[in-house]
Structures are given as structure tokens and as C-alpha cells.
């Protein structure tokens, strides 16, 4: 069986859903060329503003975030493209001439109606396939080129300005999970006439504090600031935003935030995304990660019998319901698969601390007292060896979290 990875997003055909998100990897022409030659279907160029050239950058701009030596994300204090609008225009023209079938998306940021529309018209004339608008920035708010807080009224107004100037070229609005009501803002984007949304932007954050110097990271000559969190830590939030937007409006969705593997890609597609924007994973693993994403997604689709992305997109949404609609009265209990258990005791600690004391160690292995277990699943969630399942008390039917 052959699998078709092409997708139509905002009326534009993409050869696959895999898009380079705005980042240092999309701010230089030679890297964009490498990305397209490697197999990426498109790229959102690093956000540019009318006054990009006056932005004073500071270094270091990026800090690693980890938990027990496991990489969970990056925090960046970067702002917009280091290039002028003129240079980015040249990049758009050069890319469309060399790669006419790739999707080139300038990301713009402005403060006034005149600047929003001027930037839009310039990039439309340069040959942009889609215009993406970055209305809110998670840091650098003193640099007032955009709104300090994304909200429905302002977003709808800006989106309508850009759509008016863009003509037939699709317009996408980037949304923030820190929005006071991201669903209301998505509805505002739909009312504006824009074609899609990108969800989500990085989240305002602090990496941590150096306990020797007492200075938060990153240390910029003795001072620090807030930054934008990206990477695996964002995935649950981004999945939630993708699903809620897909259930609320009829806009095409480009998902970003925590996408690193083909399995991540499949999950976002199942929850309503049409395209997938990757940034942190590209910085960590390189542009060649596309060679793992494509065959991984294709193999899974073949296994499930999906011939095209149309069969996949939004497939899991019907399973998401309000809490009040969840089935009641179904009893499950924990079951230890002893062949997979390493006897670490994490399940016992979890059950004793937050459960009902239903698990105890017997001869070095955990044992469940079924009459005490209520099936809360805390033990399963804490088991790193995945040795715990939840089953019906009669053992005949299992369920998963």
C-alpha cells in the first residue's frame, strides 16, 4: 500500500506536513536551501519587523533545560531576525525561484496598521505562499512592535488588516497558550477572515537560578531576563491547544511545540493539525531529522491502513469529551507484570503517599492487595519500567491510561 503524505493547508498544497518553524535555522538562506534539499516541505522564516535592524541582541541567547540530566527544552531570549526586511524579501524570491514547489512563509511583526499592511504587501510581491503573523512575543515586551498581551479584539483587528493587504495569499495567525482565552482568540481569527492559526508560540519562562551566584539563567554580565520555553516540555500544552482549537473553529492548524519524533507528529495530526512546525528538535538533531520523520509516519500509516493524511487528521477528536461525559462505574485495579518489574519500589511509594496503601514489597517485588486498590493509576504513572497495567478485577479486560 502506498501512502500519500501531501496535505492542503490554507489552500496551499504541501508535499508533506513537515515544516521548519521560525528559528535560527530559517534565518539564513544557505540553511533554508539545505532544509529544502533535505526534504522539508516548507519553512516559516524567522520573524521580521520593519525595524529589525535596530534590535540590540544579547548573548548567550539560549539555555538548556533539563531534569535529572534529561533534555526537556530550551529557553531563548532571542527577538526577531537579524536581517532587514530587504534581505528577507531577497531570501523569499531566491527560495521561490529555486524551489517553486516548496512553501515559503514569511513571519511578520508590527505595531501599526500601516506597518502590518506594508510588510504584508512587500512579501506578497516577493512571492510568499502564506503570511504568518506573530502578534505577541513571550519576552522583550519593552520592544513594542506588537501587543503586550494577545487577546481576541486586538488579534481580530490585526488579522483583518493583514488579510485585507494579502489579497488571495493565505494569512495565518500565531497563537499563545498564555493568551487569556486562546479559544476566544481562535474564534476572533476565524471572524477576521484569516485562513489558519499556528499553535503555539513559546511560553514565557525562567530556566532556573544558579545557586552559587544567585543569578537566574542565562547570566548576561550579571543580569538575566525572562525567555521563551520550547521543546518537549511544551508538548502536552501544545496538544491541548491543537485539539481545543480544532474542536472549536474551522481553521487550518499548524502545530508547534514539543514535536520531536514521528510519533509526536502522528499525535498532533490525530488531534487536528494539518501541518507540523519543528524548531527545537531541528536545533538538537539537525535538518536530517526529516529522514526519520517521514518513514516513521509512513510506516505507522501503512500499519493502521491510512492511505492519506486526510484519513488521519482529527481522527482522535471524537474521543475527547467533557469530564461529565466520561463513563462512570468501571472498576480497574493495578496489575504487576513481574517479568518487567525491576523492584525499584516506586509504585509502593506512590501508593503509600497518594493512593490507598494497596501495594507492598514482598520478597523484593511489589504485590497488589486488590481489595484496597481503587485503580487511580498513580503507581502506573510512576513506573519507569512500564511493568504495571490496569485491569478489571476479574483480569479479563484491560484498559490503558
Amino acid at each position: 500500500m502506498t501512502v500519500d503524505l501531501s496535505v492542503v493547508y490554507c489552500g496551499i498544497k504541501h508535499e508533506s506536513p513537515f515544516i521548519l518553524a521560525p528559528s535560527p535555522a530559517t534565518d539564513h538562506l544557505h540553511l533554508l536551501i539545505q532544509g529544502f534539499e533535505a526534504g522539508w516541505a516548507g519553512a516559516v522564516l524567522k520573524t521580521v519587523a520593519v525595524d529589525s535592524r535596530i534590535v540590540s541582541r544579547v548573548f548567550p541567547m539560549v539555555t538548556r533545560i533539563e531534569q535529572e540530566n534529561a533534555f526537556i527544552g530550551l529557553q531563548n531570549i532571542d527577538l526577531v531576525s537579524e536581517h532587514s526586511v530587504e534581505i528577507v524579501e531577497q531570501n523569499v524570491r531566491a527560495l521561490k525561484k529555486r524551489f517553486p514547489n516548496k512553501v515559503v512563509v514569511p513571519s511578520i511583526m508590527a505595531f501599526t496598521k500601516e506597518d502590518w499592511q506594508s510588510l504584508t504587501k512587500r512579501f506578497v510581491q516577493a512571492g510568499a505562499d502564506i503570511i504568518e503573523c506573530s502578534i505577541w512575543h513571550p519576552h522583550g515586551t519593552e520592544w513594542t512592535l506588537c501587543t503586550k498581551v494577545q487577546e481576541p479584539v486586538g488579534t481580530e483587528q490585526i488579522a483583518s488588516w493583514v488579510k485585507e493587504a494579502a489579497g488571495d495569499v493565505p494569512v495565518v495567525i500565531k497563537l499563545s497558550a498564555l493568551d487569556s482565552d486562546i479559544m476566544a482568540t481562535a474564534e476572533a481569527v476565524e471572524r477576521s477572515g484569516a485562513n489558519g492559526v499556528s499553535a503555539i508560540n513559546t511560553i514565557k519562562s525562567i530556566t532556573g537560578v544558579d545557586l552559587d551566584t544567585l543569578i537566574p539563567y542565562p547570566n548576561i554580565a550579571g543580569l538575566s531576563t525572562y525567555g521563551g520555553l520550547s521543546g518537549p516540555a511544551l508538548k502536552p500544552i501544545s496538544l491541548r491547544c491543537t485539539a481545543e482549537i480544532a474542536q472549536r473553529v474551522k481553521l487550518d492548524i499548524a502545530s508547534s511545540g514539543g514535536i520531536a519524533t514521528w510519533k509526536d507528529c502522528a499525535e498532533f495530526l490525530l488531534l487536528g493539525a494539518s501541518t507540523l512546525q519543528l524548531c527545537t528538535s531541528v536545533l538538537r538533531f539537525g535538518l536530517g531529522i526529516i529522514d526519520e520523520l517521514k518513514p516513521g509516519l509512513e510506516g505507522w500509516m501503512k500499519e493502521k491502513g491510512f492511505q492519506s493524511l486526510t484519513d488521519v487528521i482529527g481522527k482522535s477528536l471524537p474521543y475527547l469529551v467533557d469530564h461529565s461525559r466520561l463513563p462512570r462505574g468501571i472498576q480497574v485495579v493495578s496489575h504487576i507484570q513481574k517479568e518487567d518489574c525491576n523492584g525499584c519500589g516506586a509504585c509502593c511509594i506512590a501508593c503509600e503517599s497518594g493512593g490507598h496503601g494497596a501495594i507492598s514489597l514482598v520478597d523484593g517485588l511489589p504485590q497488589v492487595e486488590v481489595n484496597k486498590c481503587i485503580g487511580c493509576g498513580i503507581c502506573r504513572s510512576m513506573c519507569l519500567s512500564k511493568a504495571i497495567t490496569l485491569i478489571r478485577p476479574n483480569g479479563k479486560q484491560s484498559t490503558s491510561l
Side-chain angles (χ1 to χ4, degrees):
M1 183 182 75
T2 59
V3 169
D4 182 9
L5 287 184
S6 68
V7 64
V8 176
Y9 171 70
C10 294
I12 304 296
K13 185 174 182 180
H14 294 55
E15 62 188 40
S16 80
F18 302 112
I19 307 297
L20 292 168
S23 73
T26 64
D27 201 30
H28 302 282
L29 183 59
H30 72 282
L31 290 176
L32 287 160
I33 291 173
Q34 289 178 27
F36 286 170
E37 289 179 339
W40 293 86
V44 182
L45 309 191
K46 191 173 180 182
T47 303
V48 65
V50 173
D51 296 322
S52 284
R53 285 171 292 185
I54 68 171
V55 175
S56 179
R57 307 169 93 202
V58 296
F59 304 93
M61 296 186 297
V62 180
T63 308
R64 172 190 175 98
I65 303 172
E66 59 184 39
Q67 183 73 33
E68 296 180 351
N69 297 321
F71 176 87
I72 61 173
L74 294 177
Q75 182 203 60
N76 83 87
I77 58 170
D78 199 4
L79 295 173
V80 296
S81 173
E82 63 183 86
H83 300 303
S84 66
V85 177
E86 291 77 14
I87 294 297
V88 180
E89 282 180 304
Q90 292 174 20
N91 290 347
V92 172
R93 290 192 173 93
L95 290 168
K96 289 308 300 179
K97 182 177 180 180
R98 184 163 177 172
F99 304 98
N101 296 322
K102 301 290 186 178
V103 181
V104 180
V105 186
S107 172
I108 62 173
M109 177 187 291
F111 184 60
T112 66
K113 176 181 179 180
E114 292 72 23
D115 284 347
W116 279 112
Q117 294 195 328
S118 173
L119 284 172
T120 299
K121 291 176 181 178
R122 291 177 68 169
F123 285 116
V124 167
Q125 292 173 2
D129 295 295
I130 298 172
I131 302 294
E132 183 170 296
C133 302
S134 185
I135 292 176
W136 181 82
H137 210 279
H139 46 280
T141 52
E142 74 282 355
W143 186 54
T144 53
L145 283 169
C146 56
T147 57
K148 290 187 176 182
V149 178
Q150 189 168 18
E151 43 75 38
V153 175
T155 299
E156 182 175 356
Q157 183 178 59
I158 292 171
S160 63
W161 291 342
V162 176
K163 186 59 184 173
E164 179 183 33
D168 294 333
V169 174
V171 172
V172 170
I173 306 299
K174 194 159 195 175
L175 300 182
S176 167
L178 295 180
D179 190 329
S180 57
D181 188 343
I182 191 172
M183 296 304 106
T185 301
E187 291 176 334
V189 172
E190 188 173 42
R191 289 194 300 270
S192 76
N195 307 85
V197 294
S198 172
I200 55 176
N201 206 337
T202 55
I203 293 181
K204 191 174 185 179
S205 62
I206 295 176
T207 304
V209 179
D210 187 322
L211 298 184
D212 291 323
T213 66
L214 311 186
I215 300 172
Y217 301 108
N219 184 335
I220 312 296
L223 294 175
S224 189
T225 191
Y226 301 93
L229 174 65
S230 66
L234 258 63
K235 181 186 170 185
I237 300 171
S238 187
L239 281 172
R240 184 269 298 179
C241 291
T242 295
E244 286 191 330
I245 293 169
Q247 289 181 321
R248 184 74 69 91
V249 299
K250 298 185 183 302
L251 294 169
D252 285 344
I253 303 171
S255 287
S256 61
I259 306 174
T261 69
W262 69 261
K263 291 183 180 180
D264 296 331
C265 295
E267 291 176 30
F268 277 94
L269 292 167
L270 287 167
L271 290 177
S274 294
T275 58
L276 310 159
Q277 296 184 12
L278 284 77
C279 169
T280 301
S281 56
V282 173
L283 298 178
R284 189 178 181 205
F285 301 111
L287 293 166
I289 191 178
I290 191 69
D291 293 330
E292 299 177 12
L293 301 178
K294 279 186 177 180
L297 184 60
E298 286 176 343
W300 171 77
M301 289 175 64
K302 288 180 181 179
E303 180 183 325
K304 301 298 291 184
F306 297 131
Q307 293 184 306
S308 71
L309 289 185
T310 303
D311 301 328
V312 178
I313 295 172
K315 191 78 171 180
S316 294
L317 290 174
Y319 301 109
L320 281 172
V321 298
D322 290 338
H323 192 279
S324 61
R325 291 181 55 197
L326 294 175
R328 262 63 179 180
I330 299 176
Q331 178 63 48
V332 293
V333 296
S334 296
H335 173 69
I336 312 293
Q337 300 174 129
K338 291 184 169 51
E339 64 275 13
D340 297 321
C341 178
N342 61 10
C344 69
C347 57
C348 299
I349 295 172
C351 192
E352 184 66 33
S353 302
H356 288 69
I359 304 179
S360 57
L361 286 178
V362 178
D363 297 328
L365 290 175
Q367 182 172 303
V368 180
E369 291 185 56
V370 175
N371 62 327
K372 289 185 177 181
C373 180
I374 65 168
C376 66
I378 295 177
C379 60
R380 174 179 167 145
S381 299
M382 294 299 180
C383 180
L384 296 180
S385 59
K386 298 181 179 179
I388 301 177
T389 57
L390 298 178
I391 65 172
R392 294 293 182 88
N394 58 20
K396 292 182 179 181
Q397 183 176 351
S398 62
T399 185
S400 60
L401 295 178

